Amino acid sequence: GGYNHVRHGWEDYDFWCRLAEQGQRGFWAPQTLADYRVHAGSMLRTETMVPQNARRLMENFKAQHPWVSLIDERLARKPPPLQVALSDDAAKTRLQRLLPILRCPATGLKLAAGAGQGALVTVDGWRTWPVLDGRPVLCDGLSEPEVKPADHVSNELPGEALALAQSTTGWVLNLSGGGSQAKLDNVVEVEYSLFRHTDVVADAHVLPFDDAVFDAAIVMNAFEHYREPQKVAAELLRVLKPGGRILVRTAFMQPLHEKPWHFFNCTRYGLAQWFREFETERIRVSENFCPNHSISWLASECEQALRTHLSDAAAERFREAPAGELVALWRDPSRRETPLWTDFEQLPQAAQEVGAAGFEFLGRKPAAAGAA
């Protein structure tokens, strides 16, 4: 394919990489075949090594040839200033204790405290991540996460999850834990917002931790809110130590909640598929997910929708109807010409979505590029 023009230089390097990508082989020649002269007015000095050009060149090169490991020689010779302070464990801050297991979510490089107190820096000096109130924000595109009030408290950890955390001697990951009621010293709380006990702000799809650093992981009522649940499951597998245990609870027959961040409800078979790379100890219906929870929650949402969007009379009809009447309407379609059934069809779409039995999609394949 010949040479491509690479802005700011490196056409030859790009060419060699493309040769390798085509399966060509190179051999080491133990002799000098050519001399390369660099002078004050050379392209290398006047364009390639201009800081902003060098940064852009390396970023573009990484995108074109992601298999190549690039190191800025200047930074390798002179690392960025880092805060290095030896202290006993008792004097370390929470962030200093977590730093050994953290890594940059974008590059995978280790992180160090910057010379100031407000950032973490990758060891190559290229990426900087903010630190807010002692908690690092390691999430691309989220420099200012939402800060929840200190009195915002989420549901208490169920007994089994709490027992797992307390019986584990090493680090335990509590992913998407919200506003936990109590802070456990060995539990690392990761959220997309800053809650009262959040340790790290991160995207669950790209966890900013080294491989195999957690002895256990807890994920309560969160998997329905992940855009790519299988990717999150793969990240959990990566950061757990061999033999590390994981406890997950997630939605099946639950109405829409926390919209628009509610994507997937799954069956037990879907849960097994997400976690197929793990050894399964059990899959069961936990006490908080018994069928009566589904029915009660859905009935509550239905009553509220009828009262808000239709009428008090429609809501009262639903409240007063015995469960047996609803069973009969489902089993005998000929009886469905009654307000108890048809009232729901009059609700606006947004209200129906909360407890709908399913959805319909009508779409179109995009026109070919350049077509009229």
Side-chain angles (χ1 to χ4, degrees):
Y3 279 88
N4 287 337
H5 173 65
V6 179
R7 190 178 181 189
H8 308 310
W10 287 11
E11 289 94 343
D12 49 354
Y13 197 2
D14 172 72
F15 179 66
W16 300 334
C17 289
R18 285 189 288 112
L19 286 175
E21 289 163 357
Q22 293 294 324
Q24 302 298 320
R25 299 179 64 187
F27 296 91
W28 175 256
Q31 57 183 308
T32 300
L33 302 177
D35 289 325
Y36 188 81
R37 184 170 65 93
V38 178
H39 54 80
S42 67
M43 178 180 176
L44 183 67
R45 291 281 178 80
T46 61
E47 184 167 354
T48 302
M49 298 311 296
V50 174
Q52 62 268 27
N53 293 347
R55 181 185 296 272
R56 187 177 301 112
L57 180 61
M58 292 189 74
E59 290 175 350
N60 291 341
F61 202 89
K62 288 178 181 178
Q64 292 295 323
H65 309 290
W67 57 276
V68 178
S69 178
L70 294 174
I71 300 175
D72 187 317
E73 293 184 10
R74 294 172 301 113
L75 291 171
R77 288 194 297 268
K78 186 179 180 181
L82 302 175
Q83 180 188 21
V84 180
L86 298 177
S87 60
D88 58 63
D89 288 343
K92 287 183 179 179
T93 66
R94 180 73 172 177
L95 179 54
Q96 286 173 332
R97 291 179 59 202
L98 293 177
L99 200 54
I101 67 172
L102 293 176
R103 77 181 195 187
C104 172
T107 65
L109 294 174
K110 293 300 295 178
L111 296 164
Q117 298 294 321
L120 295 182
V121 183
T122 54
V123 291
D124 67 352
W126 280 101
R127 293 300 301 262
T128 299
W129 299 93
V131 175
L132 300 180
D133 192 25
R135 281 83 66 84
V137 180
L138 302 175
C139 185
D140 259 331
L142 188 67
S143 58
E144 297 184 5
E146 181 182 1
V147 179
K148 300 290 187 180
D151 58 356
H152 178 98
V153 179
S154 303
N155 293 330
E156 188 175 1
L157 276 179
E160 186 176 10
L162 190 59
L164 176 60
Q166 292 174 334
S167 64
T168 302
T169 56
W171 289 118
V172 176
L173 173 63
N174 183 3
L175 184 59
S176 304
S180 59
Q181 299 199 15
K183 180 64 176 174
L184 299 181
D185 186 63
N186 68 322
V187 175
V188 181
E189 300 193 16
V190 176
E191 256 291 356
Y192 197 71
S193 301
L194 267 175
F195 289 83
R196 54 192 290 171
H197 294 145
T198 299
D199 289 303
V200 179
V201 177
D203 182 349
H205 301 78
V206 191
L207 293 174
F209 299 104
D210 286 333
D211 297 349
V213 292
F214 289 102
D215 289 280
I218 297 167
V219 192
M220 296 290 102
N221 311 316
F223 259 81
E224 64 267 33
H225 304 297
Y226 298 143
R227 296 183 307 277
E228 300 176 71
Q230 292 190 82
K231 188 173 182 180
V232 178
E235 279 291 271
L236 289 165
L237 183 69
R238 179 183 65 80
V239 302
L240 276 171
K241 293 179 181 179
R245 303 186 73 199
I246 182 169
L247 178 62
V248 175
R249 290 185 179 180
T250 189
F252 172 36
M253 298 291 286
Q254 288 184 5
L256 175 67
H257 54 279
E258 295 187 27
K259 59 182 180 181
W261 306 106
H262 185 166
F263 302 103
F264 299 102
N265 287 15
C266 76
T267 64
R268 62 165 294 152
Y269 307 104
L271 190 60
Q273 177 67 16
W274 288 347
F275 289 92
R276 62 188 181 276
E277 299 298 328
F278 290 77
E279 294 180 2
T280 302
E281 294 185 33
R282 70 161 189 259
I283 297 180
R284 71 177 186 113
V285 178
S286 54
E287 293 76 12
N288 64 313
F289 286 157
C290 291
N292 57 322
H293 288 252
S294 301
I295 296 170
S296 299
W297 187 355
L298 185 57
S300 175
E301 294 288 345
C302 288
E303 190 271 346
Q304 184 177 15
L306 290 170
R307 192 174 301 279
T308 302
H309 300 285
L310 213 58
S311 66
D312 288 341
E316 291 303 319
R317 270 196 300 271
F318 178 75
R319 285 181 64 95
E320 294 171 3
E325 180 64 17
L326 294 172
V327 172
L329 292 176
W330 172 251
R331 293 178 178 173
D332 186 358
S334 67
R335 298 180 54 183
R336 293 179 184 174
E337 290 303 321
T338 170
L340 183 59
W341 186 271
T342 59
D343 280 346
F344 289 97
E345 298 169 0
Q346 301 178 51
L347 290 172
Q349 276 287 310
Q352 292 194 41
E353 288 176 358
V354 175
F359 290 90
E360 172 187 85
F361 175 78
L362 175 65
R364 182 192 304 271
K365 180 179 178 177

